[in-house]
Amino acid sequence: MDNYSLKILELCREENMLNIGVRIKCPYNPSVKEPKLAIIFDNGTETRRLPLLSQAYFPAEDLMFCTVFAKYSYNLAYLFFETPVNKKIDFWFEFTYGDIVVHKMNFVISSDVKLEDEDKYNVLHTDNTFTYQLIEVEKSIPKIWVVADIFQAVIGDIWTFILIIVSIFLIPLYLIEGILAMLGCVRNMPKNKKHGLFRLINHVRLRINRFVRKGFGITDSKVKILRIAYRIGSLSQIKENRIVFISNRRNDMSGNFEFVYNVLKTDKSLDMKFILDDRDIKHMSFSNAFRYGLYCATSKIILVDDYAGLLYKIPRRAGTTMMQLWHACGAFKTFGYSRLGKPGGQRQTSPAHRNYDYCIVSSKEIAKFYAEGFGISLNKPIATGIPRTDIFFDVEYKKKVQEEFYQQYPKLRNKKILLFAPTFRGNGKLSGYYPVEKFDVARMYEELNEEYAILVKHHPFVQDRNDIPDEYSDVILDMSSNSELNDLLFVTDLLISDYSSVIFEAALLDIPMLFYAYDLQRYISTRGFYYEYNEFVPGKIVSSFAQAVRAINDRDFEAEKIIDFKTRFFDDLDGKSSQRTVDLIYRELKK
């Protein structure tokens, strides 16, 4: 890769902040829209991968070469989750340009860069690796300061208790003020959105919170219950045969949990517990908050299938193993710490996801992206495969689903099935949407000469729905609210999507795909992908409704891309991902 060069333009450490700026030059490829640079930090125990944000990307006048500028400031105190920065950190660069990946990219240092003060740091480097060696040894904290900290904490608790006692005597005044606020005589508390009697009670609570400078409410009470239960559980030994399934995504045993449980349930020696509650902590029951803390303290294995915020309200107990059975296959849209510095991205100081011992992925190739996204060491993602995909290798189940579908919708037996399953736009659950006017389902049905029935499956974050005329209600069905997406794939002849990870499951069934990416450039700039979209997706890309219709009528789906796509993102196509995941669980149980 002699024609790929990296020059360090800025390298400056200020306390815990490491500021890095680089320039890369390489041969220009006009199909590459999103070149990527990552920096990998290694402290001898953990290896952490983080993105180095592109600031500019442009070709030379002759279009032979291009230039990429990238820059970011990293907080060294938050690089590694459980291990300290230590006295030595190595780091190097990885550059991705389309399908070309340059590992441990060689670099030169600009003459304008002045390396660190030699009195503090010994900075070493080879052609491709930097080493920071701290000469200054961190001093231990004098015992007098430890005693002072304890004294301050005790005095602080006593003062809080005094404020609570005083606030009890002030309750009558707060009640009077609350009544006056309801009558409009005095200002209402800013955060009081309640009505009637609840508004009065909430006024008193908010007043006490402000006076005592502590939170007193339902959420705070449940967090306290969680922590009390954790302390109680920590008084006893960890149960070496206990596995707890924790989900804030679902209320039942479905998804990866279901498939893993179905393998484990034959072992009667296991003590399995379940906390399946998709409500936030405010609306979760007190009993679930208590069980959450108790089981996290007493279980040998903790299984989660999505983000679980309560896990960061209590410490991880030594001797437990936490596994993330993430629901998605492959690596498509960037997430978590891969969006560092971007709107909606994770902050480097956040602890979210970083306490996993393992996360499961569908292939070794994408393991580094999940490590980056979750903020965990590069050795923690394990390519077991995704348990819920085992169903795609079950021929009998496929026949059963198909028969049940056509029994329910007999008029669709003689039609091909087009499944429209786009992802949402926006930043998350509260702001998620899809501009339904971009896909006129009635017009699509007519343009395709009524050859296809159309199933619409919007993302759960999307509240808007496509307008379906009454005369087409038996051949155009909105399945967004009451159908399992995987089951719909078993009856699908053509999938139209955009940036949804459903394409990985569709590839397992060799379903032809069309990618309706009318806002591709905007999506790249706001969300981004792990791979170049144009080279990555296993089907034809269209940018307008008319192009989509033409491609379908011409049977132009570029379906030949599916085979390479499937083998790239699934290491094993054998329907045994659940068993491999269970084998990993047993390995940890035996430790």
Side-chain angles (χ1 to χ4, degrees):
M1 295 294 177
D2 294 337
N3 47 4
Y4 284 71
S5 65
L6 185 152
K7 176 177 272 192
I8 295 178
L9 304 178
E10 178 184 358
L11 185 63
C12 174
R13 178 171 176 176
E14 300 172 0
E15 298 300 331
N16 280 331
M17 300 306 297
L18 181 63
N19 307 314
I20 301 177
V22 305
R23 182 194 69 201
I24 297 173
K25 290 188 175 180
C26 67
Y28 178 57
N29 181 350
S31 68
V32 175
K33 308 298 182 185
E34 198 179 6
K36 298 176 185 65
L37 185 65
I39 182 168
I40 293 90
F41 294 93
D42 188 343
N43 70 349
T45 304
E46 292 187 63
T47 306
R48 177 89 189 275
R49 175 190 170 98
L50 285 163
L52 188 56
L53 270 65
S54 295
Q55 306 290 314
Y57 165 49
F58 52 87
E61 290 186 6
D62 59 5
L63 301 181
M64 295 295 292
F65 286 85
C66 65
T67 301
V68 179
F69 287 96
K71 182 178 180 179
Y72 200 70
S73 297
Y74 302 95
N75 191 326
L76 298 179
Y78 291 92
L79 280 181
F80 308 108
F81 186 68
E82 293 182 335
T83 54
V85 169
N86 280 342
K87 299 175 185 177
K88 177 173 168 260
I89 304 174
D90 294 335
F91 65 87
W92 58 90
F93 303 97
E94 179 181 289
F95 181 57
T96 303
Y97 193 72
D99 283 337
I100 296 173
V101 180
V102 186
H103 302 283
K104 283 201 172 184
M105 192 173 189
N106 288 341
F107 59 78
V108 295
I109 303 173
S110 170
S111 59
D112 296 330
V113 173
K114 184 178 183 302
L115 294 180
E116 307 293 347
D117 185 345
E118 292 295 334
D119 292 336
K120 282 188 175 183
Y121 311 109
N122 182 14
V123 184
L124 311 170
H125 66 87
T126 61
D127 289 340
N128 57 26
T129 303
F130 245 94
T131 299
Y132 270 89
Q133 185 140 12
L134 304 187
I135 296 174
E136 201 173 63
V137 179
E138 294 183 8
K139 298 177 181 179
S140 59
I141 301 173
K143 290 183 179 179
I144 187 171
W145 291 113
V146 176
V147 173
D149 287 342
I150 295 172
F151 176 77
Q152 289 173 355
V154 171
I155 294 299
D157 288 342
I158 292 173
W159 181 244
T160 298
F161 178 74
I162 292 172
L163 290 177
I164 291 172
I165 296 299
V166 173
S167 70
I168 292 173
F169 290 99
L170 293 174
I171 288 176
L173 289 177
Y174 293 152
L175 284 168
I176 294 171
E177 185 186 50
I179 293 170
L180 293 175
M182 292 173 70
L183 295 173
C185 300
V186 298
R187 293 176 62 185
N188 188 35
M189 291 294 287
K191 294 183 179 180
N192 195 351
K193 307 298 183 183
K194 305 291 184 180
H195 299 281
L197 180 61
F198 292 106
R199 181 177 176 182
L200 179 61
I201 295 171
N202 202 38
H203 180 92
V204 175
R205 182 182 69 84
L206 292 171
R207 266 302 193 186
I208 294 174
N209 287 354
R210 178 174 289 187
F211 182 78
V212 180
R213 288 177 291 181
K214 292 282 186 180
F216 293 97
I218 294 175
T219 300
D220 301 294
S221 300
K222 289 177 183 175
V223 171
K224 288 181 176 65
I225 290 292
L226 167 83
R227 289 171 175 164
I228 290 170
Y230 177 83
R231 292 192 188 101
I232 293 172
S234 297
L235 295 175
S236 62
Q237 290 186 338
I238 292 171
K239 296 184 181 298
E240 297 295 325
N241 66 335
R242 175 170 288 180
I243 300 172
V244 60
F245 294 75
I246 295 177
S247 179
N248 285 143
R249 179 183 177 87
R250 63 188 80 249
N251 295 317
D252 57 3
M253 284 298 290
S254 55
N256 286 334
F257 275 5
E258 178 185 7
F259 286 86
V260 169
Y261 172 71
N262 284 340
V263 179
L264 289 172
K265 68 182 181 183
T266 59
D267 186 346
K268 302 305 179 183
S269 69
L270 296 177
D271 176 18
M272 291 188 281
K273 303 296 182 182
F274 310 91
I275 307 172
L276 309 174
D277 195 330
D278 65 355
R279 297 171 293 181
D280 57 28
I281 180 63
K282 182 177 181 179
H283 299 98
M284 181 183 291
S285 67
F286 280 97
S287 62
N288 270 356
F290 185 86
R291 292 167 63 240
Y292 216 115
L294 184 66
Y295 293 152
C296 283
T298 58
S299 299
K300 177 69 173 178
I301 305 291
I302 302 171
L303 302 179
V304 294
D305 66 345
D306 207 322
Y307 174 70
L310 285 182
L311 293 175
Y312 310 101
K313 303 291 185 183
I314 50 178
R316 275 282 307 282
R317 189 176 178 186
T320 64
T321 297
M322 185 178 295
M323 297 186 190
Q324 172 60 261
L325 308 187
W326 193 249
H327 52 277
C329 300
F332 198 176
K333 298 169 290 191
T334 57
F335 71 96
Y337 297 95
S338 295
R339 301 180 66 197
L340 202 65
K342 295 182 179 180
Q346 200 73 273
R347 292 175 299 173
Q348 196 187 339
T349 55
S350 171
H353 296 297
R354 300 199 56 198
N355 57 347
Y356 305 145
D357 294 292
Y358 301 102
C359 76
I360 61 170
V361 294
S362 59
S363 72
K364 293 183 180 68
E365 176 175 321
I366 65 169
K368 63 182 180 181
F369 298 129
Y370 277 78
E372 179 182 293
F374 286 138
I376 58 180
S377 185
L378 285 172
N379 63 326
K380 292 186 175 181
I382 307 295
T384 60
I386 307 303
R388 65 180 180 79
T389 62
D390 289 352
I391 203 70
F392 296 108
F393 300 89
D394 188 334
V395 177
E396 292 303 316
Y397 181 80
K398 178 179 179 179
K399 290 179 180 179
K400 174 178 171 291
V401 169
Q402 289 173 335
E403 189 55 37
E404 289 175 351
F405 177 84
Y406 288 118
Q407 284 179 359
Q408 187 172 359
Y409 305 104
K411 291 186 178 181
L412 304 187
R413 280 190 182 274
N414 298 320
K415 287 186 177 292
K416 293 181 180 178
I417 302 294
L418 186 160
L419 175 61
F420 177 57
T423 194
F424 68 96
R425 302 326 188 247
N427 290 326
K429 187 173 184 178
L430 298 179
S431 61
Y433 72 97
Y434 184 85
V436 293
E437 69 277 1
K438 287 288 185 180
F439 193 85
D440 188 332
V441 289
R443 183 182 163 199
M444 177 63 75
Y445 181 72
E446 294 165 354
E447 292 280 1
L448 301 181
N449 301 313
E450 303 182 0
E451 179 183 5
Y452 288 85
I454 299 176
L455 308 182
V456 179
K457 181 67 172 176
H458 281 295
H459 191 279
F461 291 175
V462 176
Q463 301 303 313
D464 293 336
R465 292 291 181 263
N466 292 82
D467 183 28
I468 301 174
D470 290 341
E471 63 266 31
Y472 294 143
S473 60
D474 55 349
V475 289
I476 303 176
L477 307 174
D478 192 325
M479 316 292 279
S480 301
S481 301
N482 56 2
S483 295
E484 172 62 43
L485 180 56
N486 284 352
D487 285 352
L488 294 179
L489 291 174
F490 286 121
V491 297
T492 296
D493 296 292
L494 171 64
L495 170 67
I496 298 182
S497 191
D498 45 18
Y499 321 118
S500 170
S501 62
V502 68
I503 66 174
F504 295 100
E505 288 85 351
L508 290 175
L509 295 173
D510 296 314
I511 298 171
M513 290 174 251
L514 200 61
F515 291 84
Y516 181 33
Y518 64 87
D519 58 348
L520 177 58
Q521 203 54 49
R522 181 181 178 184
Y523 205 87
I524 288 174
S525 63
T526 57
R527 182 66 187 260
F529 303 97
Y530 287 109
Y531 296 89
E532 280 296 326
Y533 187 86
N534 291 333
E535 305 297 327
F536 161 78
V537 296
K540 187 178 181 64
I541 301 171
V542 295
S543 57
S544 70
F545 186 87
Q547 289 179 1
V549 171
R550 188 180 311 117
I552 297 172
N553 282 325
D554 293 344
R555 305 289 192 272
D556 182 14
F557 307 128
E558 299 179 10
E560 67 277 2
K561 296 178 179 179
I562 294 175
I563 295 177
D564 289 341
F565 178 87
K566 184 166 52 173
T567 54
R568 182 180 191 179
F569 294 104
F570 295 92
D571 284 351
D572 301 284
L573 298 169
D574 57 3
K576 297 180 181 179
S577 297
S578 301
Q579 185 60 57
R580 281 187 290 272
T581 304
V582 168
D583 289 344
L584 177 61
I585 292 171
Y586 273 115
R587 191 180 82 188
E588 293 302 304
L589 282 172
K590 293 175 182 177
K591 284 187 177 180

